[in-house]
Amino acid sequence: MESIAIVGCGAAGVALMANMARLGWGRTGRILLVDPRLPGSGIAFDHDEEYLLCNTSVGVNSIFPDDPDHHLRWLRSDLVHGTRWGIDRSAVTPDSYVPRGLFLAYLSDQFRRAMDDCAARGILVDHLPDSAVRITPEDGRVVVATDAGDRFPVDRAVVCTGLQTSDETARRCRESTGALWPAYQTSRNLDRLARAGRIAVLGMGQSAIDSARLVREHNSGGEIVMVSRSARFPAVRSEMVERPSEILTATAILEPSALDRPGDVLRWRRLVREDLYSQGGAPNLFPPRHSDPIRQLRADLEHTLTGSRAWQRIDRNAVTVANAVWPAVPSNRRMPLQRWYTRHVRRYVSAVPEAVARELLTATAQGKLRCARAVGEPVFGARGVSIDSDRGPILADVAIDATGLTAVSRHSRTLTPTATRPGDGSAIHYLGPASGAALAIPNYFNAAARQAVALASSLTAQVTRN
């Protein structure tokens, strides 16, 4: 009987199990799910707020990437969850953005279907509500050791621990002695946030904006100060939809004429910059650049309401293009391509809805929100949190670190330093885009789902051969 441990049962773990079930893994076998949380949950999507939307649209968020319409079909056929989240299922399109909690319901439903499929085929699935602390090869098998001191021998193990707090954020939290916590813990600390006079939010990306909105909802009298080294919000969208375009697609990037010659970075620049500029000129596509984040936000809002917008010229699958292109890019060109993509493209595929931009500007006008460029690390003391910025020192009662999560966590490295990528016969695998190994910066789930298909196919083929 083949046995496998899936360590971590959030979005990536569910994607793996769903694809294993669909491909018919194991005639008989056992799957051990190791996660202290309920399977089908996860940091990124476990939210009750209707206004917290997925960063990318329905068309790129299928749990089965080779069936990109699967998520859309589920949304249109589901009779329960759409109503709960205020979604008109008949109006949903591949270009729609939906609440994160609704996407979590989609993941949970696919997990239940996978469980039913396994039960019908006689595959035992056990959930171990504990944390794995070490995964090691021993005597031809893999042993998963848990926090409770138990040891579980299996034939194979897959580490799907997903997005975790970065090393830098973890260090800050330890040094803060309770004055700072990661963005995903914001909802757990609302009582304390409601009493704070000034709250610092480190970061200006999606997680930072979400945290600031949660604070405003529960603390109408406090002041929020958002600080980051880039001092830039994502671009503003007047419509939370994405529009097809032929400019930035996997087909365009990977056409033979592009692969036969060097210069991948130049190729991307030509596709995204020169073609865009030739279709109306830079002023019509990109808003003016400002060093002040609020001025930039206001310029973005004004610009996106008139004329042609840059984000309309990027394919709705732009966030997945990198996943398809990345394996074909020589390793010595990946880092400059990643830097360029982050600087010029990322801002337009991870966007702020128009209503959210107006909310941030209103809070600024009311004196409830300030933004600044961080020029140093936060310092923690008896009076709270102090941060040096281009506007002078900022002193806050508490702080939220929303500088981002990492897919390569201390947890996964400590668990099993020898884990490999999908595609070989190893007994221990790591599933999830590692920093520097994948370019899917705006959409972790799409990259993880693509890897889940590859790994599920490999695992199924191995079981069939045996």
Side-chain angles (χ1 to χ4, degrees), residues 363-400:
T364 301
Q366 294 172 344
K368 301 297 184 181
L369 174 67
R370 285 190 291 146
C371 296
R373 184 185 302 275
V375 296
E377 281 287 302
V379 177
F380 308 99
R383 297 180 58 193
V385 184
S386 177
I387 306 168
D388 286 335
S389 76
D390 61 347
R391 307 296 176 86
I394 296 170
L395 182 63
D397 300 312
V398 293
I400 300 168

Side-chain angles (χ1 to χ4, degrees), residues 3 7 44 70 72 75 108 128 137 191 210 232 266 322 328 347 353 358 368 371 390 436 461:
S3 59
V7 180
H70 184 270
L72 176 64
L75 286 166
S108 299
L128 180 65
D191 288 343
D210 292 346
R232 294 186 74 192
L266 294 178
R347 188 166 179 262
R358 293 187 185 280
K368 301 297 184 181
C371 296
D390 61 347

Side-chain angles (χ1 to χ4, degrees), residues 188-251:
R188 306 178 197 172
N189 293 276
L190 291 177
D191 288 343
R192 189 172 179 191
L193 286 168
R195 299 191 302 268
R198 179 177 294 144
I199 304 97
V201 177
L202 310 184
M204 292 186 186
Q206 295 283 358
S207 296
I209 294 171
D210 292 346
S211 296
R213 298 181 74 196
L214 277 172
V215 171
R216 270 182 56 80
E217 185 178 332
H218 292 84
N219 185 341
S220 59
E223 181 191 36
I224 301 169
V225 184
M226 301 182 72
V227 293
S228 78
R229 294 188 182 278
S230 68
R232 294 186 74 192
F233 290 107
V236 177
R237 290 187 181 220
S238 56
E239 307 168 44
M240 288 311 291
V241 298
E242 295 183 279
R243 300 175 183 276
S245 169
E246 58 283 340
I247 291 179
L248 183 58
T249 66
T251 302

Side-chain angles (χ1 to χ4, degrees), residues 31-114:
I31 301 176
L32 179 65
L33 307 176
V34 185
D35 197 317
R37 298 164 61 101
L38 289 174
S41 59
I43 290 175
F45 305 111
D46 193 7
H47 294 277
D48 293 329
E49 296 81 15
E50 293 182 8
Y51 57 77
L52 296 184
L53 304 178
C54 292
N55 292 349
T56 45
S57 61
V58 169
V60 297
N61 281 344
S62 170
I63 200 169
F64 306 117
D66 53 346
D67 182 9
D69 291 333
H70 184 270
H71 186 203
L72 176 64
R73 292 197 303 272
W74 182 87
L75 286 166
R76 287 180 173 174
S77 62
D78 179 72
L79 300 177
V80 177
H81 298 97
T83 302
R84 151 69 178 87
W85 291 96
I87 298 296
D88 179 0
R89 59 194 179 97
S90 64
V92 176
T93 73
D95 304 318
S96 301
Y97 285 69
V98 298
R100 296 181 194 178
L102 178 55
F103 184 72
L104 180 63
Y106 167 66
L107 291 178
S108 299
D109 188 55
Q110 302 316 304
F111 174 77
R112 287 191 294 271
R113 292 171 185 264

Side-chain angles (χ1 to χ4, degrees), residues 347-365:
R347 188 166 179 262
Y348 294 97
V349 295
S350 181
V352 179
E354 175 190 345
V356 176
R358 293 187 185 280
E359 182 181 328
L360 294 174
L361 292 173
T362 298
T364 301

Side-chain angles (χ1 to χ4, degrees), residues 56 80 86 116 126 152 155 182 209 227 267 269 279 376 394 413:
T56 45
V80 177
D116 292 342
D126 294 320
F152 296 89
D155 296 310
I209 294 171
V227 293
R267 171 75 173 163
R269 285 177 177 171
Q279 293 186 33
I394 296 170
R413 286 195 300 262

